[in-house]
Amino acid sequence: MNDGISTTEGFIDYCIDQRANKKSFLLDVDCLIDWKPIERLLTNQYKKRQAADGRPAYPPLTLFKMLLIQRWYNLSDPGLEEAVNDRLSFPRFTGFSFESSIPDETTIYRFRNELTQKGLYKKLLGRINAQLEAHNILVSKTRNRLISRLRYTVEQGFGTLKRRYRFDRARYLGILKIEMEFYLNAMAFNLRKAAAMLA
């Protein structure tokens, strides 16, 4: 396997794309979100240009998409590394080619911690929510709704966060890490709900 990081499509990637299911949740999310503003924000803040051994660093957008996959499928860091190596749809969503190396669990851990230290999760959630509002999927103002309908919507959302994303307990220790977990869960929840509404 190639040690470099390649995002250009090769012959194997073309064959996989032809074989892959055209209708999937990850493909819906990829079509729904314009990743360029998110990539700009991440690139401006995440300044790592090469790994310790001199190889180029992984693109921050692909690492961020891996964090979203981790939330959607409730994976640990080693489980995420294994899943991205194992499943065909995960490298397609993150932008890795079949020939490129996949980040290991320590790279994922360090990237998540660096975003936590820089406080970027709130900005990322804002950018994603702004795009969902532009598609009229996520409505920020609920003034005209009935109270009972609003209460049902809020309680249903918290119930889903609790069941699917283990929102009733923290995975990490420390206020900054719990805040990071909250924002990642909110992004994952909003994107999953938006993709389901479009489907």
Side-chain angles (χ1 to χ4, degrees):
M1 187 170 279
N2 186 10
D3 284 338
I5 300 154
S6 173
T7 55
T8 58
E9 250 188 42
F11 179 70
I12 295 174
D13 296 305
Y14 173 77
C15 293
I16 289 170
D17 281 345
Q18 296 304 311
R19 187 175 153 202
N21 183 8
K22 294 297 179 191
K23 190 69 177 162
S24 71
F25 161 68
L26 294 175
L27 187 62
D28 289 344
V29 170
D30 224 9
C31 294
L32 178 67
I33 298 295
D34 178 17
W35 296 105
K36 289 178 185 158
I38 295 165
E39 184 176 25
R40 262 193 309 272
L41 174 65
L42 289 169
T43 306
N44 290 339
Q45 297 293 324
Y46 185 71
K47 298 292 185 186
K48 189 167 187 179
R49 298 291 177 233
Q50 63 181 0
D53 59 358
R55 287 177 294 137
Y58 293 103
L61 181 63
T62 58
L63 294 172
F64 175 67
K65 285 182 172 184
M66 287 181 73
L67 293 180
L68 290 174
I69 287 173
Q70 186 177 37
R71 293 294 161 202
W72 287 323
Y73 296 96
N74 198 19
L75 299 168
S76 63
D77 289 345
L80 177 62
E81 178 189 354
E82 183 181 339
V84 173
N85 275 314
D86 190 44
R87 289 188 57 175
L88 295 177
S89 59
F90 289 176
R92 282 180 69 211
F93 175 70
T94 55
F96 287 111
S97 77
F98 188 77
E99 299 167 349
S100 67
S101 62
I102 302 296
D104 62 351
E105 60 183 280
T106 56
T107 304
I108 297 161
Y109 171 80
R110 288 180 183 143
F111 177 75
R112 185 177 54 241
N113 281 350
E114 187 163 340
L115 293 189
T116 302
Q117 291 170 355
K118 292 182 182 288
L120 283 180
Y121 291 106
K122 188 173 184 177
K123 291 179 186 174
L124 290 166
L125 177 63
R127 299 264 169 105
I128 287 175
N129 285 349
Q131 289 192 40
L132 296 179
E133 286 175 16
H135 289 294
N136 291 326
I137 295 172
L138 181 71
V139 180
S140 60
K141 295 176 183 165
T142 56
R143 225 180 268 165
N144 297 332
R145 291 187 183 181
L146 295 172
I147 297 296
S148 60
R149 177 73 179 147
L150 176 62
R151 183 174 174 189
Y152 168 76
T153 305
V154 169
E155 288 177 1
Q156 182 186 26
F158 277 113
T160 304
L161 282 167
K162 183 178 175 183
R163 282 188 314 278
R164 183 169 289 226
Y165 299 102
R166 311 285 297 161
F167 210 63
D168 55 341
R169 57 184 67 132
R171 184 182 283 194
Y172 307 103
L173 295 176
I175 293 175
L176 284 177
K177 290 184 179 180
I178 291 173
E179 181 183 35
M180 168 273 302
E181 186 177 8
F182 169 77
Y183 285 122
L184 268 176
N185 284 339
M187 283 184 267
F189 174 73
N190 287 347
L191 287 171
R192 179 175 283 281
K193 196 167 186 177
M197 288 171 72
L198 282 183

